[in-house]
Amino acid sequence: MQPSDRHHLLHGKNIPIWIETAPSSPYHHLSETVEVDAAIAGGGIVGITAAYLLKQRGFTVAILEKDAVLNGVTGHTTAKLTSQHGLIYRYLLDAFGEDSALAYGRANQEAIDTIESLVEDHGIDCDFFRTQSYVYSRIGKQADRLRQEAEAARELGLPAEFVDDVPLPFDTAGGVKFENQAQFHPLRYLRVLSDSIPGDGSHVFEHTRVEKAQEGNPCVIKTNRGIVRAGHLVIATHFPVMDRNLLFSQMEARRSYVLAARTGGGAPPGMFYEAGGSEHSLRPYSSSEKDVIIAGGGAHKTGQERPDAVAYFLRLEDHIRRHFDVKDILHRWSTQDNSTVDKIPYVGRQKAGSKILLATGFNGWGMTGGTVAASLLADLIEGRHNSLAALFDPGRFKFRVSTKKFVKYNANVGVQYAKRFLSLAHRQKLDCGQVEVISSGARKIGIFRDESGETTSVVLTCTHLGCRLHWNDAERSWDCPCHGSRFDYKGSVIQAPAIRDLKRAGPSKKRDHRVTEDNSVDSKNLPNGKSWKKEIGKRRQIMPYRTNKELPDSVKSNLPGGA
C-alpha cells in the first residue's frame, strides 16, 4: 500500500510549465467521414511538423489526436534543441561508420536551423535563442570518454570541444561543449504551426482516437468518432498504436522527472546534461526569466524500480536545493522516452512499399529528432529521395550493435511476466488517496479510493500484452514495466502501446466486489479469476522470443545464415 500522506510532500503545480503558459485553441473532434491525402495519428512535434510540411507541399492532411494536441509527451519535454544527444558520436562512428554518424549529426544540427527559419518566417513568439550545450560527468574516470566524444563530434564537423571547466555550481570531470545550439518554448512554436493546418481540405481533430487501420488505396482508418480515408497513414503516437514491426521488443520505455524552480541567483549560461548516473539536466526557462530553471533527472524503466515517483521528485528537488538558491518550486511533471536497441530512432514505412509509416524511439531527444523525422516522413510520402531513409528504417536490425540490448530488454520483460503470477494477497484499510493490490485467482486487482471516497477497482493486466501493472504514486497511474503503457487509476489509457482501457473489477454474478463499512477490502467477495494454467497457456504466444522462429522477419533476415 502507498500511504496517502506522501503526496503532500510534493511541491509545485502538477502540470508542465509549457502547457500552462501556452495559448490554447481547442479543435473539434471528427464528426463525419473525411478523405485526405495523409492522415497523421498523434498531435505532437512529429505529427504537427509533418502535417505542416505536407500541407505546404500541396497535400491535404488530417491530424487525429486521442486527447488534446500538444498535451502528450511533447508538452512534457525539457525543450532542448541540440544535436548533442548525450555521448553518442563515438558510438555511432564505431557502430555505424562515418557516413551514418555524419548524416545523423548533420540532420539534427540542421533541424535547429529549420525551427529557427519557421520561427522567423511566421514571427513566432516562442523565446527561441541560440546558446551552448554541455554534456558533463562528475566521475573522474569519465574524463577520457568525454575527450573521445568531443574528438569524434569534431571529426564529424559538429561545433564540439572538450572543456575542463563546466559552468555549474559543483565540481565536474570536464565536459563536451557544443556551440550554436538553441532552446525555445515548444508549445508556443507548435501551436502556430498547428493553427495553420485546418482549411482547404485539411483538419486537426482532437479527442479522436485511432483504433485500427486497413491498408489499401486508400487506407481506411477507424477511429472512435468515425472513419477517415487517406492515401497514407503516419503513426506518430510516441509509441506506435499499431506495432506491426514488433518494435515493443526493440525499445525500452523510461520515465524521468522535471521541476521548474525559481531561484535567487538564476541559471548558469547554457543547457546541461549529465552523462550516466542520474542523468540530471538543466536549462533556464527563458531568456527573459533566467531566475527560473528547468531541472530534470531520475530516469528509470517505466513501471520498475522502487521507491516510486514521489521519491524521485523529492530527490530531484533535494539536488537543485543543494546547488541553487531555490525560492519556490513552480511546476513538476514527468515524461516518458523510448530508447531503441541501437540508439537510432525508427522512422519510415512499416515495410517496403507500405502506405503506413511511423516514427518512434527518439531516446529522449525528441525536439530535434522529431523535426528530422517529420521531414523524412514528408519526403517519403511525396516520393522524394532522402538519404536518411536507410539509417532510420524501422525494419532494420543491426545484429552486431543491437543483439545485446535486444536480449537484455526482453529478458527483463520475461521477469516482469513471471512476477505477474506471484501472490500479493492483502487485506488493508483504505483511506482516501490510498491504493491496494489484492489477489483474485490468477488476477491482481488494483483498488484506489479517491478524496471523494469513491473506490475504483481495475484488473492489473496490461491490455497490450498482459504484463502486470505497477502503481505510480505521484501521478496516480498504473504503469506497465514491460513496454511502458500507462493507465489512470480508473483504467483509461494514458500512453501507448496499449490502446484498450483496463477491465473494471466490478461485481460478478456470484460474488460482489466491495469495500466494507470500515473501508477495508473484502477479498473473499472478489470475482474469481481464470485458472493460472489457462492464463499462462493464453499468454505463451506473447512471451519474449525463445527461438529464432519466433523473431520478426526484420530480425531473422539479419541473423548469420538467416533464420
Side-chain angles (χ1 to χ4, degrees):
M1 176 180 290
Q2 302 293 339
S4 59
D5 60 358
R6 294 186 72 207
H7 214 260
H8 82 276
L9 298 174
L10 300 174
H11 301 107
K13 298 179 182 178
N14 187 21
I15 182 174
I17 194 170
W18 317 119
I19 292 177
E20 184 171 80
T21 58
S24 176
S25 52
Y27 303 101
H28 297 294
H29 61 73
L30 177 68
S31 58
E32 60 182 3
T33 299
V34 299
E35 296 187 9
V36 290
D37 297 320
I40 300 174
I45 188 168
V46 176
I48 289 173
T49 308
Y52 170 85
L53 294 174
L54 285 168
K55 186 174 181 182
Q56 292 296 306
R57 300 179 189 185
F59 290 81
T60 57
V61 297
I63 291 178
L64 309 172
E65 168 55 48
K66 71 179 182 67
D67 294 314
V69 297
L70 299 174
N71 276 16
V73 174
T74 295
H76 290 69
T77 179
T78 53
K80 298 175 184 176
L81 291 171
T82 178
S83 57
Q84 185 183 52
H85 297 175
L87 301 179
I88 193 171
Y89 290 106
R90 181 73 268 163
Y91 159 80
L92 290 179
L93 281 171
D94 293 341
F96 289 86
E98 183 177 354
D99 289 345
S100 294
L102 181 64
Y104 182 94
R106 180 179 295 167
N108 280 279
Q109 189 65 34
E110 290 176 352
I112 306 173
D113 299 335
T114 297
I115 292 172
E116 184 177 34
S117 295
L118 290 174
V119 169
E120 293 175 351
D121 291 346
H122 293 279
I124 303 175
D125 180 15
C126 65
D127 198 48
F128 178 98
F129 70 96
R130 293 281 181 167
T131 187
Q132 60 270 17
S133 176
Y134 297 85
V135 171
Y136 68 94
S137 177
R138 303 181 71 178
I139 304 171
K141 63 182 180 181
Q142 290 284 343
D144 287 344
R145 189 180 176 200
L146 293 168
R147 293 179 187 276
Q148 292 171 10
E149 176 67 12
E151 181 182 354
R154 193 166 53 249
E155 288 176 6
L156 296 170
L158 294 167
E161 65 172 318
F162 176 83
V163 293
D164 291 303
D165 297 319
V166 179
L168 287 169
F170 47 81
D171 293 334
T172 71
V176 182
K177 178 183 178 181
F178 271 39
E179 293 284 2
N180 203 30
Q181 309 302 287
Q183 64 177 66
F184 70 153
H185 191 304
L187 269 59
R188 289 178 182 168
Y189 162 75
L190 289 166
R191 180 63 67 176
V192 172
L193 297 190
S194 67
D195 286 346
S196 72
I197 293 168
D200 300 322
S202 293
H203 314 268
V204 176
F205 295 118
E206 293 184 326
H207 307 291
T208 303
R209 183 179 65 249
V210 172
E211 296 179 340
K212 61 175 64 175
Q214 180 179 348
E215 184 168 0
N217 190 19
C219 299
V220 179
I221 302 142
K222 179 183 177 183
T223 78
N224 62 323
R225 300 286 188 174
I227 301 296
V228 175
R229 293 186 173 90
H232 291 83
L233 169 63
V234 173
I235 303 173
T237 54
H238 188 58
F239 198 113
V241 291
M242 290 178 289
D243 186 15
R244 295 170 185 173
N245 295 67
L246 302 182
L247 296 180
F248 67 83
S249 67
Q250 300 176 55
M251 292 196 296
E252 180 181 66
R254 295 177 63 80
R255 293 199 71 72
S256 57
Y257 303 86
V258 189
L259 295 174
R262 189 176 301 281
T263 67
M271 305 179 295
F272 303 86
Y273 175 78
E274 182 181 5
S278 60
E279 301 179 12
H280 286 126
S281 70
L282 185 74
R283 56 155 285 189
Y285 165 58
S286 70
S287 58
S288 60
E289 295 184 69
K290 292 185 178 179
D291 61 331
V292 177
I293 60 173
I294 307 295
H300 66 89
K301 196 172 187 312
T302 301
Q304 296 186 30
E305 302 188 23
R306 295 293 185 270
D308 268 324
V310 167
Y312 283 103
F313 276 118
L314 296 178
R315 286 179 182 175
L316 180 57
E317 181 176 340
D318 177 68
H319 169 73
I320 60 174
R321 287 190 183 278
R322 279 188 284 113
H323 300 296
F324 298 93
D325 180 19
V326 175
K327 303 297 184 182
D328 192 19
I329 302 295
L330 305 176
H331 297 265
R332 59 180 164 85
W333 67 94
S334 66
T335 189
Q336 187 156 306
D337 298 301
N338 297 321
S339 301
T340 65
V341 290
D342 62 8
K343 300 185 181 181
I344 302 290
Y346 297 120
V347 184
R349 300 185 187 277
Q350 283 193 332
K351 59 182 180 179
S354 176
K355 294 186 176 182
I356 299 179
L357 302 89
L358 61 88
T360 188
F362 296 106
N363 301 287
W365 305 102
M367 295 296 99
T368 51
T371 304
V372 171
S375 179
L376 173 55
L377 292 167
D379 284 349
L380 291 173
I381 289 173
E382 189 177 10
R384 290 187 186 182
H385 171 74
N386 189 307
S387 59
L388 295 173
L391 178 62
F392 287 79
D393 182 11
R396 73 181 186 274
F397 187 86
K398 302 294 184 181
F399 186 84
R400 182 173 64 87
V401 300
S402 302
T403 302
K404 184 176 179 180
K405 281 197 173 181
F406 179 83
V407 172
K408 178 181 176 182
Y409 288 177
N410 287 282
N412 178 272
V413 170
V415 171
Q416 302 308 316
Y417 274 110
K419 288 181 179 179
R420 175 184 172 182
F421 299 100
L422 298 179
S423 175
L424 283 176
H426 289 286
R427 175 181 164 84
Q428 297 283 355
K429 182 177 180 179
L430 281 179
D431 294 324
C432 292
Q434 287 188 320
V435 69
E436 180 64 19
V437 176
I438 67 174
S439 295
S440 174
R443 301 191 301 179
K444 299 296 180 291
I445 308 298
I447 306 168
F448 180 78
R449 186 180 177 93
D450 64 24
E451 279 73 10
S452 68
E454 180 182 354
T455 300
T456 304
S457 303
V458 294
V459 178
L460 299 183
T461 301
C462 182
T463 57
H464 173 225
L465 289 181
C467 199
R468 213 201 93 205
L469 304 173
H470 292 173
W471 179 246
N472 177 331
D473 57 348
E475 298 167 289
R476 292 182 172 177
S477 63
W478 295 107
D479 298 355
C480 178
C482 293
H483 306 112
S485 299
R486 298 180 62 238
F487 308 81
D488 66 21
Y489 69 84
K490 294 185 177 181
S492 298
V493 175
I494 299 174
Q495 278 183 295
I499 60 174
R500 291 179 290 113
D501 296 342
L502 298 179
K503 292 181 179 179
R504 289 292 188 95
S508 68
K509 294 181 180 180
K510 295 183 178 180
R511 301 183 179 184
D512 292 331
H513 166 218
R514 60 187 177 86
V515 175
T516 61
E517 293 180 0
D518 67 351
N519 295 334
S520 63
V521 177
D522 188 348
S523 59
K524 293 182 180 180
N525 286 332
L526 285 168
N528 287 325
K530 299 175 183 178
S531 72
W532 68 269
K533 289 184 179 179
K534 183 176 180 181
E535 191 70 11
I536 291 177
K538 177 182 176 183
R539 297 296 172 183
R540 284 182 65 184
Q541 295 183 12
I542 51 81
M543 293 289 280
Y545 309 112
R546 295 179 294 276
T547 69
N548 287 353
K549 292 181 179 179
E550 296 177 78
L551 293 171
D553 290 339
S554 61
V555 176
K556 289 193 289 186
S557 63
N558 287 278
L559 291 173

